[in-house]
Amino acid sequence: TQVLEGDSAGFPKNVLTLLRDADRLARAIRKRRLQDGMLVLALPEIELRFDDDGRVVGAEPADTSFSHTIIEMFMVEANEAVARLFVDQQVPHLRRVHPDPDPAAAEGLQKFLKAVGLTAPKDLDRHALQSLLDFVKGRPEGFAVNLAVLRSLSEAVYSPELTGHYALASQHYAHFTSPIRRYPDLTIHRLLNRFLEG
């Protein structure tokens, strides 16, 4: 962040230009995705600190600076681009899908919201959920509401079906950039290599 705000710390000009362009592009992507209904849950992660012997010696909140969002936005775009390519080429592949929430889970979320004194929207579509998450941001009940929203969502799974990804508001999504590298992710890499090889 300091580099982007003017403290160049001796970085070459072309690197600074690249970082500023990446920041600007990621913000534009994020804005578009939010308008499409992407959900952003505020569930802070904890990073453990270890000593030289591998024992836990502390814990602290994970870094949530926008640099992580830059990477995340580019990864999601890459995942979508690869999935769209396979659809255009009519190549069967495993998608990472996230079905719409189950109506019973949405009803449970509405009951929870009423129990904590919040007015639950009648229809809990993505935009209503976004408004709810924005409303509780920084409030004492914010973490509990974010957790309740997460629990109301369906589980993301791998499937050959064109189901879409609810939380990302994405029609076409494959785990091309996944750092976990589950076997279905590797099949995407193999298919892309085959495509690039002609």
Side-chain angles (χ1 to χ4, degrees), residues 12-86:
K13 186 177 178 183
N14 62 334
V15 171
L16 294 175
T17 300
L18 182 65
L19 289 172
R20 289 187 180 111
D21 288 347
D23 179 77
R24 192 168 35 257
L25 181 57
R27 290 180 192 279
I29 292 169
R30 186 174 192 275
K31 181 179 179 182
R32 172 181 49 83
R33 299 192 71 80
L34 288 171
Q35 288 171 345
D36 290 344
M38 177 181 73
L39 300 178
V40 180
L41 295 172
L43 294 170
E45 295 180 26
I46 300 297
E47 290 184 353
L48 300 177
R49 286 188 288 116
F50 300 91
D51 65 12
D52 292 339
D53 297 320
R55 291 187 297 262
V56 176
V57 294
E60 54 196 36
D63 180 9
T64 57
S65 63
F66 195 74
S67 59
H68 293 273
T69 304
I70 292 173
I71 295 167
E72 181 184 350
M73 290 298 99
F74 291 163
M75 287 174 62
V76 170
E77 290 294 306
N79 289 337
E80 287 186 340
V82 170
R84 282 193 308 270
L85 171 71
F86 291 156

Side-chain angles (χ1 to χ4, degrees), residues 139-162:
R139 296 171 62 105
E141 67 274 22
F143 180 79
V145 171
N146 275 265
L147 194 57
V149 169
L150 175 64
R151 290 184 174 165
S152 75
L153 299 176
S154 301
E155 185 178 356
V157 296
Y158 290 98
S159 172
E161 300 297 321
L162 184 56

Side-chain angles (χ1 to χ4, degrees), residues 100-185:
D100 290 0
D102 179 81
E107 187 178 315
L109 176 60
Q110 288 174 321
K111 288 179 182 176
F112 170 81
L113 294 173
K114 288 178 184 172
V116 296
L118 295 172
T119 303
K122 182 179 178 186
D123 295 317
L124 281 174
D125 63 12
R126 278 191 292 259
H127 294 287
L129 288 174
Q130 282 179 324
S131 296
L132 170 67
L133 295 171
D134 285 343
F135 178 76
V136 298
K137 195 177 292 180
R139 296 171 62 105
E141 67 274 22
F143 180 79
V145 171
N146 275 265
L147 194 57
V149 169
L150 175 64
R151 290 184 174 165
S152 75
L153 299 176
S154 301
E155 185 178 356
V157 296
Y158 290 98
S159 172
E161 300 297 321
L162 184 56
T163 304
H165 196 293
Y166 180 83
L168 292 174
S170 175
Q171 183 62 31
H172 301 286
Y173 194 74
H175 259 192
F176 168 64
T177 64
S178 173
I180 300 170
R181 293 289 178 261
R182 297 180 184 102
Y183 186 73
D185 308 334

